Amino acid sequence: MNARTHMPKKYPSGAEVHSPAFIDGHSVAIPILKILKEDGTLYPSADLPELDQAKAEKVYRAFAFHRVLDERMIAAQRQGRISFYMTALGEEATTVGGAAALEPQDMIMAQYREQGCLIYRGFSLEDFMNQMFSNEKDLGKGRQMPIHYGSNELNYMTISSPLGTQIPQAAGYAYGQKLQGKDAVTLCMFGEGAASEGDFHAGLNMAAVHQAPVIFFCRNNGYAISTPSDEQYVGNGIASRGVGYGMKTIRIDGNDVLAVMKAMQLARSYALEHQAPVLIEAMSYRLGAHSTSDDPSGYRSKEEEAKWQAHDPIARFKTWLINQKWWDDARDKTLYESLREEILAAVKVAEKVAKPPVEDLVTDVYDQVPKHLEKQLTDLKEHINKYPEAYPFTAGRF
Amino acid sequence: MAQMNLLQAINNALDIAMAEDDSTLCFGEDVGHFGGVFRATSGLQEKYGKARCFNTPLAEQGIVGFANGLAAQGSRPVAEIQFADYIFPAFDQIVNESAKFRYRSGNEFNVGRLTIRTPYGGGIAGGLYHSQSPEAYFAHTPGLKIVVPRNPYQAKGLLLASIRDDNPVIFFEPKRLYRASVGEVPEDDYQLPIGKAEVISQGSDITLLGWGAQMEVIEKAAELAANEGISCELIDLRSILPWDVETVAQSVMKTGRLLISHEASITGGFAGEVAATIQDECFLHLESPIARVCGVDTPYPLSLEKEHMADHLKIFEAIKRSVHY
Ligand SMILES: Cc1ncc(C[n+]2csc(CCOP(=O)(O)OP(=O)(O)O)c2C)c(N)n1
């Protein structure tokens, strides 16, 4: 058989050389998109995203809500009111900016630190609280740990703790959107740590081979719990992998919300028009602890953290808004004050709402409760009736 | 003897194993300088260097596959999977590779030096994905050994035995007890046998069997039963595979009754295997059906954790039903 006749259409190509020349990830120099400077002014000739005053204000309000929510919930965790929390301190531009560049019909499949997307989409303060207090009004019925949000109405897929699992799922979801001719894409967010999982490689390859309109968005924030990114991967970041899988790829400053929005808007129109995947790598820094169970002083210095404080995405955007005369300090102060009050009040309401009823233990395992679970529930109720004081959340409610 | 908590006992066992054999390596997510998210490997990188105790990329499949390669080569890897819930990305490497290396090669190659350590179990408000007890999946796989200690003394002796055992061992650590369980632990080297159950206390009316963190719950139930004049014999199985049929059968022949309790859901759980074997061994000695008190057949929930769990009250009720059958 002649190998030539079986040569694939896109046979890997390049110049012919006659003495060996190895290449590595750094042979492909990957530029980084920056639009807004640290001081709140624009880089000369920078290409702005589509953004009017109303949208800019919506983005900023989401930022403020995010900051106050994170600050209050950390405090609530320290007071023992909730068991766990994760902030996205310093990374808000990736998620708020990401969602702001999408349409409501676009699906978002996130990892866990992406509450900014939900804030932008208008997940209510009550919904946030009900999830974190795992009460009977939680859309997820109190089954998962705090921060595992999900909303069908807002096209935000419920978070699953195992890392990377959403990546191939996003490829499949987007492929389904494509087959059904939907005017929608899927945004899949994950950390640079999760990009080491097998699911990342499987997911990108599936999306590339089957040309799914999915935007893979890596929040490269420098750490996976205590593991710094230089112990996570070698090579030119995550972006070089997008190139390897044959998809359109871009690296951006993740602390620059205008760069995030610009890249996302282009990625969305590309993914829709070409019905093909895109990879975005957003360079940022996880300013806070990994979670409330973590203590970063065990693995990094205060100086390093302080250095990154200066790259705060929110302060930068605020200065720009003020320069635009779209915002001012007085409105800023009022906004933060009212958010603090609202969130504090919402905590007090949510913590008093009852826990889910005992029936919720056995529903949703299957579409209908099978016989064996019905029996287990009956036995459980009988047992609870015998020892009501041992099961204070459910006793006396059936 | 020193007072140690379960984490310190594990750390101490790893220290001894690394000191005695240069080819012993400890690795996993966050295992290096930070010492693991639970700090089980604290200080080991400082003592034995970055080449022998290190962070891996975030890929469980990679961690166990890498460990399989190391073990096949003759090194002694002790790989950490950060939570037992996240062992599933490595399922293929464990079930198809670790477990079958020796058999499929006619003993040309083996990964007997492999140990996988992983924190398991609930009761820490961890919800669906930080609470699972997946031992039964692995118990269905010939070629693996499965060990679950219940306290610091057991943890050190069993971990050293696991590391030195010439078979791949999965060592499930009860994370609820990591800091809660403190006890006397000899500072020097000792081993406890894999495959041997421990009779914790003698009794005459019923045998109560469990492993790991569940032993504490079972002990509490036995106390309630004692107040009602019921005498329980308590057995810690300690290793799920191979398991000590003889010790359990002897006890059941004496007491005439058996109750098995584990945290994992009841259907397909390891209690079913024990019940089937013991009714085979002890049929004519049984005075009541073998009882199983286990988790409800649902994922492990957050807010209804107490309802889901095989707690001491559920076990106590089952003891009474069995004794008054
Ligand atoms: C399969 C799996 N393995 C391990 C974990 C435990 N874990 C939770 S978060 C995390 C680090 C993730 O880092 P990264 O993806 O970079 O995201 P970041 O936290 O930095 O936002 C780890 C190891 C998990 N949730 N799932």
Side-chain angles (χ1 to χ4, degrees):
Chain A
M1 224 195 290
N2 183 348
R4 252 167 203 284
T5 58
H6 290 272
M7 206 161 327
K9 258 189 271 163
K10 287 181 193 152
Y11 190 75
S13 63
E16 262 185 29
V17 290
H18 303 289
S19 52
F22 290 104
I23 63 159
D24 65 20
H26 294 279
S27 314
V28 191
I30 299 171
I32 179 163
L33 174 70
K34 289 174 180 251
I35 292 177
L36 183 60
K37 289 194 206 161
E38 306 277 330
D39 65 3
T41 63
L42 298 176
Y43 284 94
S45 78
D47 217 351
L48 281 173
E50 275 173 43
L51 181 68
D52 58 15
Q53 182 174 352
K55 188 163 221 168
E57 194 174 317
K58 188 171 173 194
V59 166
Y60 188 74
R61 285 181 177 275
F63 276 165
F65 183 99
H66 201 322
R67 275 282 151 96
V68 180
L69 182 73
D70 281 358
E71 169 195 303
R72 285 282 157 212
M73 296 328 290
I74 288 247
Q77 195 278 335
R78 293 211 179 107
Q79 294 158 356
R81 293 160 104 164
I82 57 172
S83 55
F84 176 85
Y85 192 72
M86 272 176 148
T87 75
L89 197 70
E91 289 182 77
E92 298 91 341
T94 56
T95 54
V96 173
L102 294 182
E103 296 300 325
Q105 70 270 24
D106 297 329
M107 175 52 79
I108 298 178
M109 296 174 75
Q111 177 162 304
Y112 50 56
R113 206 185 291 288
E114 291 86 353
Q115 56 266 46
C117 294
L118 266 178
I119 294 170
Y120 186 84
R121 286 205 164 170
F123 199 58
S124 74
L125 177 53
E126 289 68 34
D127 282 337
F128 275 109
M129 292 301 150
N130 293 334
Q131 198 287 326
M132 281 183 275
F133 283 92
S134 15
N135 64 32
E136 65 177 358
K137 290 184 177 167
D138 167 25
L139 296 176
K141 302 187 185 165
R143 290 170 179 148
Q144 293 210 76
M145 281 169 71
I147 68 105
H148 288 65
Y149 312 111
S151 166
N152 193 309
E153 192 193 334
L154 296 179
N155 280 318
Y156 189 89
M157 188 71 76
T158 301
I159 303 299
S160 171
S161 314
L163 288 165
T165 49
Q166 81 280 19
I167 302 172
Q169 293 169 14
Y173 198 96
Y175 188 69
Q177 291 172 318
K178 168 180 177 156
L179 291 192
Q180 289 167 17
K182 295 258 159 71
D183 175 31
V185 301
T186 297
L187 170 65
C188 177
M189 289 196 151
F190 47 87
E192 86 289 349
S196 292
E197 290 284 1
D199 275 349
F200 168 84
H201 302 280
L204 264 67
N205 201 29
M206 289 294 281
V209 167
H210 296 289
Q211 293 289 285
V214 51
I215 302 169
F216 294 112
F217 190 113
C218 177
R219 296 178 293 97
N220 190 337
N221 62 12
Y223 285 91
I225 310 188
S226 75
T227 304
S229 54
D230 62 358
E231 292 180 35
Q232 191 65 247
Y233 57 76
V234 180
N236 200 345
I238 305 302
S240 62
R241 293 160 194 206
V243 177
Y245 283 112
M247 65 181 74
K248 285 269 182 279
T249 298
I250 187 168
R251 176 175 286 154
I252 59 174
D253 178 351
N255 285 19
D256 171 355
V257 71
L258 297 182
V260 174
M261 287 184 68
K262 181 74 194 178
M264 276 288 296
Q265 285 169 354
L266 289 176
R268 184 177 193 274
S269 50
Y270 180 88
L272 256 191
E273 189 185 326
H274 297 267
Q275 292 292 300
V278 177
L279 173 71
I280 297 177
E281 181 182 26
M283 307 310 294
S284 187
Y285 186 83
R286 199 198 74 216
L287 254 186
H290 169 72
S291 73
T292 48
S293 312
D294 173 49
D295 175 10
S297 70
Y299 54 85
R300 69 187 189 191
S301 68
K302 284 269 170 269
E303 295 77 61
E304 178 185 315
E305 290 171 17
K307 201 186 106 215
W308 277 91
Q309 297 275 7
H311 298 271
D312 185 1
I314 298 185
R316 199 189 301 194
F317 187 58
K318 182 178 138 189
T319 313
W320 183 70
L321 288 182
I322 293 174
N323 290 346
Q324 294 281 105
K325 308 255 184 293
W326 286 354
W327 194 248
D328 58 59
D329 282 323
R331 284 171 78 191
D332 203 62
K333 193 159 169 262
T334 320
L335 173 63
Y336 273 91
E337 274 166 10
S338 63
L339 282 169
R340 287 202 179 95
E341 270 168 39
E342 272 170 48
I343 292 176
L344 204 59
V347 165
K348 286 184 183 151
V349 172
E351 67 188 350
K352 292 205 184 75
V353 177
K355 295 291 167 198
V358 69
E359 287 77 12
D360 278 5
L361 183 63
V362 299
T363 54
D364 306 325
V365 184
Y366 302 94
D367 64 334
Q368 288 169 353
V369 180
K371 279 236 164 62
H372 72 284
L373 274 179
E374 243 170 47
K375 165 141 189 356
Q376 291 178 14
L377 179 64
T378 308
D379 292 350
L380 178 60
K381 285 178 168 175
E382 201 178 299
H383 178 77
I384 292 174
N385 278 335
K386 212 172 246 170
Y387 297 97
E389 67 291 342
Y391 308 92
F393 296 146
T394 46
R397 292 173 64 197
F398 47 83
Chain B
M1 289 283 224
Q3 285 283 318
M4 288 188 201
N5 67 26
L6 212 143
L7 278 170
Q8 290 162 331
I10 286 165
N11 185 263
N12 186 231
L14 294 172
D15 192 358
I16 291 173
M18 290 186 87
E20 81 176 349
D21 178 357
D22 283 349
S23 76
T24 302
L25 313 174
C26 289
F27 52 88
E29 293 156 16
D30 301 291
V31 159
H33 169 66
F34 190 48
V37 290
F38 292 102
R39 306 301 182 95
T41 53
S42 275
L44 298 177
Q45 186 175 77
E46 285 65 28
K47 210 160 167 182
Y48 300 103
K50 269 194 154 178
R52 291 180 58 201
C53 176
F54 50 91
N55 289 336
T56 63
L58 217 170
E60 293 75 13
Q61 185 182 32
I63 293 169
V64 178
F66 192 78
N68 276 335
L70 273 165
Q73 174 274 337
S75 296
R76 202 177 285 282
V78 185
E80 177 179 299
I81 298 294
Q82 199 162 79
F83 285 91
D85 309 71
Y86 306 132
I87 204 165
F88 297 111
F91 204 66
D92 183 46
Q93 281 291 339
I94 298 171
V95 167
N96 279 332
E97 304 303 318
S98 314
K100 299 175 174 66
F101 232 97
R102 193 189 299 273
Y103 189 79
R104 70 163 179 245
S105 70
N107 208 17
E108 288 290 304
F109 297 96
N110 74 80
V111 295
R113 293 173 167 220
L114 167 68
T115 305
I116 301 169
R117 301 175 33 246
T118 188
Y120 85 96
I124 55 142
L128 266 64
Y129 295 113
H130 295 84
S131 304
Q132 296 176 72
S133 300
E135 69 272 9
Y137 293 103
F138 298 101
H140 193 55
T141 303
L144 301 172
K145 289 194 177 182
I146 302 164
V147 177
V148 197
R150 75 169 188 284
N151 64 24
Y153 174 77
Q154 304 282 331
K156 178 172 171 182
L158 287 169
L159 181 55
L160 279 168
S162 299
I163 293 171
R164 292 163 181 161
D165 192 279
D166 270 334
N167 295 281
V169 178
I170 309 184
F171 191 81
F172 286 105
E173 300 169 3
K175 65 173 169 289
R176 180 161 62 80
L177 305 184
Y178 265 162
R179 293 192 173 84
S181 174
V182 180
E184 295 277 306
V185 178
E187 272 154 299
D188 44 318
D189 194 342
Y190 65 93
Q191 263 176 240
L192 295 171
I194 295 177
K196 189 91 194 78
E198 187 194 14
V199 180
I200 300 177
S201 59
Q202 303 275 343
S204 53
D205 296 328
I206 182 168
T207 303
L208 308 183
L209 178 74
W211 49 87
Q214 197 62 9
M215 290 316 300
E216 207 187 47
V217 181
I218 293 172
E219 280 176 67
K220 239 169 129 183
E223 277 166 34
L224 293 180
N227 294 340
E228 307 236 328
I230 302 171
S231 158
C232 302
E233 178 141 313
L234 260 61
I235 302 182
D236 175 5
L237 203 54
R238 296 199 296 196
S239 75
I240 305 297
L241 214 71
W243 70 280
D244 187 353
V245 179
E246 204 184 328
T247 299
V248 181
Q250 262 171 14
S251 169
V252 174
M253 283 191 229
K254 182 177 82 178
T255 63
R257 297 179 181 87
L258 174 64
L259 180 153
I260 312 146
S261 178
H262 58 61
E263 250 181 65
S265 294
I266 188 162
T267 300
F270 198 67
E273 182 59 37
V274 174
T277 305
I278 294 301
Q279 72 95 28
D280 206 17
E281 295 280 321
C282 308
F283 188 66
L284 294 176
H285 299 265
L286 286 171
E287 293 180 36
S288 65
I290 296 172
R292 290 180 292 162
V293 185
C294 308
V296 178
D297 280 331
T298 73
Y300 201 110
L302 180 79
S303 60
L304 299 176
E305 189 169 50
K306 236 181 140 7
E307 284 75 4
H308 179 272
M309 278 184 70
D311 65 4
H312 63 291
L313 294 172
K314 291 177 189 170
I315 298 171
F316 174 51
E317 286 301 310
I319 292 172
K320 287 191 290 183
R321 277 197 299 276
S322 184
V323 171
H324 304 304
Y325 185 75

